[in-house]
Amino acid sequence: MGSGGREHALAWKLAQSPSLTRLYAAPGNPGIAEEATCVTLDVSDHAAVTGFCESHDIGLVVIGPEAPLVDGLADSLRAANIPAFGPSKAAAQLEGSKGFTKDLCERANIPTGAYIRTTSLDSATSALGKFSPPYVLKADGLAAGKGVVIAPTLEEAEAALSDMFGGQFGAAGAEVVIEAFLEGEEASFFALTDGTAIMPFGTAQDHKQVGEGDVGPNTGGMGAYSPAPVLTPELQARVIKEIIRPTVDAMRAEGMPYSGVLYAGLMLTKTGPQLIEYNCRFGDPECQVLMTRLQGDLVEIMLACAKGELADAHASFSNVAALTVVMAAKGYPGTPEKGGAIHLGQSEALQSEAMGGGAAKVFHAGTAVSDGQLVANGGRVLNVTAKGSSVTEAQRTAYNAVDAVDFASGFCRRDIGWKEVAREG
Ligand code: AMP
Ligand code: GLY
């Protein structure tokens, strides 16, 4: 289920599985259509989704985005005995409500910034006095990755709170979490869990801001690479012990066992890793680099996770570095230009199904076909993805391929991976 670059990467990997007989995608996109039969289903109509699965004898449903998970689609599928990869509505609160997650962290003693939950502009404004600048303000609910404001001054924090309680994020902003600013480098850690067993599932670093050098407004992510060497094996062990394990155990103990992928956004502070936020799905575009490195049968792994048999499953990641560059439509993250023509052409830099021989793979995000022409149909449009023996090499291959893409109304950051490239020297 889904239609972005994340789902294209998942479909591409699922399609490589020896245990796959047939793959459907709803709604999919032109890239996904190369891997799967695309069908139209209304994700909010759970009866229609389960009906389709029953009539097509579907053995596993992989739910890509957070909205249908927070809406309880996995529960509806499970109630119809259809295995689903993704958490229940109750467990998806880990992404669906920032306040829920902060309270859980407090109960389970998980390292995260100090916080206050507020439900009115008055209480929020007076709570600011308990924090120091920069102020971190978060709409409680889902806000398409845009619900976080970091305000450098008290005046800006007050103005942002007034916008949030004024309906800027709709119902998602009816409650606002104010939290302490954490200092350090950000990294993402992924784990699969069936509610009890935990399978580490890779690390990555994203580039949230639209501009080179990490400036400008936040986006859904302009590029990523994996692994994230800043998350050393020692730090990963701490993340599992201090953050992931207590979360999985608390969720199970409280009657909301978490099943699916748990994506921890972390701040690597001087005192150790702290949780910034959880997501209840793969990152986009982090998924594209994880799938590039994953070895093993994704259908088997996800099915084991869905069935509560993750302890018996195996996954490994190749040692190569993978890097993806997001090509977005001009205007993103504001109002993106729609309909711009894309020509992928015949360049050798792009002729790679397997991403070998110095060539890249293009995952489709917001694309469509109009009158036989591939066109932009969203903010983030293409994810040009490459691997290499280092981030530097993967970056070079990815940008060679970017240069071979003819997408006049598109743009990308030219510095994806810069922190790691600098460290690699
Ligand atoms: P989110 O949309 O929740 O991923 O948050 C957007 C970005 O805000 C994160 O990627 C961080 O860069 C930043 N952020 C969120 N919470 C904090 C925090 N407590 N301290 C510092 N930065 C934060
Ligand atoms: N790329 C960030 C996210 O998927 O949340």
Side-chain angles (χ1 to χ4, degrees):
M1 312 289 306
S3 64
R6 167 182 51 212
E7 287 77 23
H8 188 187
L10 290 171
W12 171 75
K13 198 68 200 173
L14 290 167
Q16 292 168 25
S17 162
S19 35
L20 183 83
T21 47
R22 189 103 199 241
L23 183 62
Y24 293 92
N29 67 32
I32 295 173
E34 291 169 16
E35 312 288 355
T37 305
C38 293
V39 295
T40 307
L41 280 174
D42 175 0
V43 279
S44 64
D45 183 347
H46 296 189
V49 176
T50 53
F52 175 90
C53 293
E54 280 161 350
S55 61
H56 291 74
D57 202 17
I58 299 297
L60 173 68
V61 180
V62 179
I63 302 168
E66 61 278 15
L69 291 165
V70 170
D71 186 41
L73 182 59
D75 306 73
S76 300
L77 288 163
R78 286 186 194 114
N81 284 319
I82 300 158
F85 180 84
S88 67
K89 179 177 182 139
Q93 288 182 89
L94 281 179
E95 175 162 1
S97 166
K98 307 231 182 236
F100 171 90
T101 298
K102 297 298 275 190
D103 287 352
L104 182 96
C105 287
E106 191 163 79
R107 291 197 295 281
N109 203 18
I110 293 166
T112 189
Y115 71 104
I116 290 178
R117 297 178 76 164
T118 60
T119 50
S120 75
L121 180 57
D122 277 354
S123 66
T125 307
S126 61
L128 287 176
K130 302 201 172 71
F131 295 86
S132 44
Y135 300 93
V136 181
L137 317 169
K138 300 186 174 182
D140 180 73
L142 291 185
K146 292 176 185 137
V148 176
V149 175
I150 313 265
T153 65
L154 191 60
E155 292 67 39
E156 285 160 285
E158 285 171 353
L161 285 175
S162 149
D163 288 344
M164 284 178 164
F165 284 108
Q168 181 188 16
F169 300 114
E175 174 171 339
V176 173
V177 172
I178 305 178
E179 69 179 53
F181 183 80
L182 300 170
E183 254 172 289
E185 183 164 344
E186 272 185 78
S188 303
F189 181 87
F190 297 84
L192 301 193
T193 175
D194 57 6
T196 307
I198 290 169
M199 175 190 272
F201 214 65
T203 60
Q205 278 183 302
D206 188 14
H207 298 65
K208 282 235 150 211
Q209 286 168 291
V210 74
E212 282 156 23
D214 298 331
V215 298
N218 268 344
T219 69
M222 293 301 290
Y225 57 91
S226 172
V230 282
L231 272 173
T232 59
E234 294 71 33
L235 281 178
Q236 289 186 52
R238 276 188 73 178
V239 170
I240 294 172
K241 181 164 176 268
E242 297 172 15
I243 298 176
I244 307 289
R245 176 47 76 192
T247 301
V248 168
D249 289 349
M251 293 295 284
R252 189 182 60 250
E254 296 181 16
M256 304 170 268
Y258 189 98
S259 166
V261 60
L262 196 51
Y263 157 5
L266 303 167
M267 191 67 85
L268 307 180
T269 72
K270 272 193 214 130
T271 57
Q274 303 235 7
L275 183 72
I276 298 176
E277 60 161 1
Y278 272 132
N279 294 308
C280 65
R281 36 108 193 147
F282 283 107
D284 188 348
E286 293 91 326
C287 186
Q288 289 79 315
V289 285
L290 292 181
M291 292 305 127
T292 298
R293 295 181 50 236
L294 178 65
Q295 294 170 323
D297 183 331
L298 186 59
V299 171
E300 268 184 14
I301 296 165
M302 288 182 153
L303 202 53
C305 186
K307 291 183 168 173
E309 297 164 359
L310 192 63
D312 304 325
H314 300 280
S316 65
F317 288 85
S318 78
N319 283 327
V320 298
L323 182 141
T324 189
V325 177
V326 171
M327 299 185 78
K330 280 180 190 162
Y332 180 76
T335 308
E337 264 181 48
K338 270 202 173 184
I342 302 163
H343 299 276
L344 292 174
Q346 296 300 317
S347 161
E348 282 188 12
L350 290 167
Q351 299 310 307
S352 176
E353 257 316 288
M355 271 179 259
K361 162 111 188 131
V362 179
F363 293 115
H364 289 229
T367 66
V369 174
S370 169
D371 293 332
Q373 170 65 51
L374 188 66
V375 297
N377 185 39
R380 296 185 295 168
V381 179
L382 301 170
N383 311 137
V384 181
T385 310
K387 54 189 183 187
S389 60
S390 61
V391 172
T392 308
E393 188 184 308
Q395 187 198 54
R396 193 179 310 124
T397 303
Y399 281 113
N400 273 339
V402 163
D403 291 336
V405 173
D406 176 4
F407 175 23
S409 64
F411 75 98
C412 67
R413 278 179 62 164
R414 299 293 311 189
D415 66 344
I416 299 305
W418 67 273
K419 279 190 188 133
E420 208 47 47
V421 169
R423 280 192 279 256
E424 285 174 353

